[in-house]
Amino acid sequence: MVLPLLFVPAHLVTALANWNPVAWPPLLFETMAAFIACAACAWRASRSRGRARQGWLAVAAAMLCWMAGVGCQFVGSLTPAGTSGTGAISMLLFVLYGVPLAFVLASPGADPWRARLVDGALALVLGALFGAYIFSFVALAGTDDAGALTLAWTFDIQNGFIALFALVRFRASSIERERRLFGALTGYALAYMAVAGFYNHFVDDGVYGVLASPLVGLPFLLLAALALRGAGLARAPQSGRMFERVVVAGCPLILPSALLIVSAALVPHMPILAIAGCVIATLGYGLRAVLVQIHGIGEREELAQLSQIDPLTGLPNRRQFDEALRRELTRARRSGQGVALLMIDIDHFKLLNDTLGHRVGDDRLRAVAAALQGCAVRASDLVARYGGEEFAAILPGASPTEALIVAETMRATIEELELASPAPDGLVTVSIGAARISDIETDTEQRLVERADRALYDSKRAGRNRVTAAWPVEEPTRALG
């Protein structure tokens, strides 16, 4: 807070030294205050990430517009009256100042970028229509007392709009970085609304105006201090997840609603432009809703897929395995064909993990998974990660001989990979238990899994790296090839 303590007295001393209502030093100090706020917000953006970074950049852009607007007034104060035309440019920049702020308040950062692009376009159209409304009663050369009062009230509404929604977003933010952003923006917006309202309604262009000039820079210095500290208002009490959801869901209505309000105000002055604003607001919000819905459908499909895929191996997970086994048993009862199940376990995997580490263990799991998947050549076969180092394979319609051939192929393929292991044989091997539906009408998934598990246990007990069937086998079955 050292900066305001030095900046404001210097501004006041300079204003008193230049006892002239149109002197350029006060405007220079106001431009410098906005520049300090802009630089501080840009610096904070460089230290932030994600949504907070985008928000700080938008606030910095708003400060840049305001600084340019005062800068035009500063240039105008150095130019003979009526020869520069900087007044209209300055007014336009003050209008554009609200565009980035409206965007950051009305566009939830979690929404897809296409929807946020629509938000940006709506914010620009809102700024254009707001500017058209102002210039409908403010001439390039200035305005009368009635127009000045209308202009003051118009900017009061804009400032109140920004302060209100900044406070709402602050209250609804549960993420700390966003709370700091909206907290700083709320503190700035409330201070700016108070200073601008006081200055526009109670300060004239005489000596009183010169004395009040240092007040203009205070909101910007406050914003700079909050940005540099990375802090906002004091933490507000949590308003609940429901309030947060309502605010985030309702934010996209802000820009179209404001467009409709400004368009309604333009009807007496520019009816065609007002109609265009209404059409843009309606179509823009509709397009945005469609884009968000498309994104949501894509996310739901992706989540549904991820919920059934093991992230380490890329194989179907236990959930998809259970659903597939249930589905195949139902199909087997209708068709009269059998279903074979293989339970596959990596031998001495705990020893491998403890000796070589979990990263190597994960590599071995991926390699085994890929090899097992490659052995299931039929489109109807399904290989899944059952849990830990255990896999399972569903072989619909496979005969006992076919099931044993697939199982032996899997066992031999894993052994031929020659993956190093601290196991007694020095290689990664698998033990397999095979089971098949014995009674299509009464067998259940649980019984089938239990029989395959018992066969797997028998393989382990018999020395590992072998296939054991849950039914009598007269001769060992060899892998094809």
Side-chain angles (χ1 to χ4, degrees):
M1 299 303 293
V2 176
L3 184 62
L5 296 177
L6 297 177
F7 191 92
V8 174
H11 189 170
L12 181 59
V13 169
T14 305
L16 292 175
N18 295 270
W19 201 265
N20 184 348
V22 294
W24 57 265
L27 293 174
L28 178 60
F29 269 88
E30 293 172 12
T31 305
M32 290 171 59
F35 171 77
I36 292 171
C38 178
C41 291
W43 179 85
R44 176 52 56 188
S46 69
R47 296 295 188 274
S48 303
R49 61 181 183 273
R51 308 174 202 172
R53 177 186 177 87
Q54 298 169 9
W56 283 112
L57 287 175
V59 177
M63 298 302 105
L64 184 62
C65 289
W66 201 95
M67 178 184 70
V70 179
C72 285
Q73 291 182 345
F74 170 72
V75 172
S77 69
L78 303 177
T79 307
T83 63
S84 67
T86 55
I89 300 176
S90 176
M91 188 65 64
L92 177 62
L93 289 167
F94 285 138
V95 170
L96 292 177
Y97 149 82
V99 170
L101 297 181
F103 171 75
V104 74
L105 293 173
S107 183
D111 282 356
W113 68 267
R114 292 180 179 86
R116 302 203 73 199
L117 192 63
V118 174
D119 291 337
L122 290 177
L124 287 172
V125 173
L126 175 61
L129 293 186
F130 188 65
Y133 173 71
I134 287 178
F135 284 113
S136 68
F137 59 83
V138 175
L140 294 180
T143 184
D144 54 19
D145 291 342
L149 182 60
T150 303
L151 180 64
W153 280 111
T154 301
F155 279 117
D156 286 343
I157 293 173
Q158 180 194 41
N159 298 332
F161 169 90
I162 294 172
L164 173 63
F165 285 103
L167 180 60
V168 171
R169 290 300 303 272
F170 169 62
R171 296 275 300 186
S173 297
S174 59
I175 301 175
E176 184 64 26
R177 291 189 301 273
E178 290 189 15
R179 289 182 65 80
R180 292 177 180 177
L181 166 65
F182 291 117
L185 186 54
T186 300
Y188 160 78
L190 291 172
Y192 184 84
M193 180 180 65
V195 169
F198 172 75
Y199 201 90
N200 291 337
H201 291 282
F202 301 105
V203 177
D204 55 24
D205 290 332
V207 174
Y208 192 29
V210 174
L211 293 175
S213 177
L215 292 176
V216 177
L218 289 179
F220 300 97
L221 298 177
L222 173 62
L223 177 60
L226 294 175
L228 292 174
R229 292 179 56 196
L233 294 180
R235 175 181 293 275
Q238 288 292 340
S239 302
R241 295 291 295 175
M242 180 56 69
F243 178 72
E244 181 180 358
R245 294 191 189 102
V246 169
V247 170
V248 172
C251 279
L253 282 170
I254 295 175
L255 289 172
S257 300
L259 260 177
L260 291 174
I261 294 172
V262 174
S263 298
L266 273 174
V267 169
H269 310 284
M270 304 175 184
I272 295 179
L273 198 59
I275 294 173
C278 293
V279 171
I280 292 173
T282 304
L283 294 180
Y285 182 73
L287 174 61
R288 188 193 197 285
V290 170
L291 292 173
V292 171
Q293 187 173 8
I294 292 174
H295 181 75
I297 292 173
E299 280 192 334
R300 287 194 294 273
E301 291 176 349
E302 184 177 354
L303 287 174
Q305 183 179 6
L306 289 175
S307 69
Q308 296 191 336
I309 297 297
D310 174 58
L312 177 63
T313 63
L315 294 179
N317 60 12
R318 174 68 178 273
R319 176 180 177 181
Q320 188 174 352
F321 166 81
D322 290 340
E323 292 176 358
L325 184 58
R326 191 178 304 113
R327 183 174 61 250
E328 292 301 336
L329 285 178
T330 302
R331 185 177 298 159
R333 293 188 184 101
R334 290 198 305 265
S335 64
Q337 295 180 341
V339 176
L341 174 65
L342 308 179
M343 300 300 290
I344 308 152
D345 188 82
I346 299 178
D347 297 326
H348 301 290
F349 188 75
K350 184 178 185 305
L351 176 62
L352 188 154
N353 253 347
D354 293 343
T355 305
L356 302 181
H358 289 280
R359 178 171 296 181
V360 175
D362 289 346
D363 290 339
R364 299 294 187 265
L365 282 171
R366 282 190 285 263
V368 169
L372 294 176
Q373 182 68 46
C375 295
V377 295
R378 300 185 308 170
S380 59
D381 295 342
L382 181 138
V383 178
R385 187 180 181 190
Y386 194 76
E389 69 273 20
E390 194 170 2
F391 299 86
I394 302 173
L395 310 175
S399 67
T401 301
E402 290 170 337
L404 286 178
I405 288 175
V406 173
E408 176 60 24
T409 301
M410 289 179 170
R411 186 207 63 78
T413 300
I414 300 303
E415 188 176 28
E416 290 168 1
L417 291 176
E418 296 185 350
L419 300 172
S421 170
D425 293 337
L427 298 175
V428 171
T429 59
V430 295
S431 298
I432 302 177
R436 194 173 180 275
I437 289 181
S438 58
D439 190 331
I440 292 178
E441 297 300 326
T442 61
D443 248 344
T444 64
E445 307 98 271
Q446 183 178 357
R447 291 177 183 173
L448 183 59
V449 171
E450 287 174 352
R451 289 202 297 272
D453 266 335
R454 284 197 297 269
L456 172 61
Y457 177 75
D458 290 340
S459 289
K460 293 282 189 181
R461 189 172 53 182
R464 296 183 172 86
N465 189 23
R466 66 189 63 234
V467 177
T468 302
W471 59 85
V473 179
E474 295 180 0
E475 295 182 1
T477 303
R478 289 298 171 193
L480 296 180

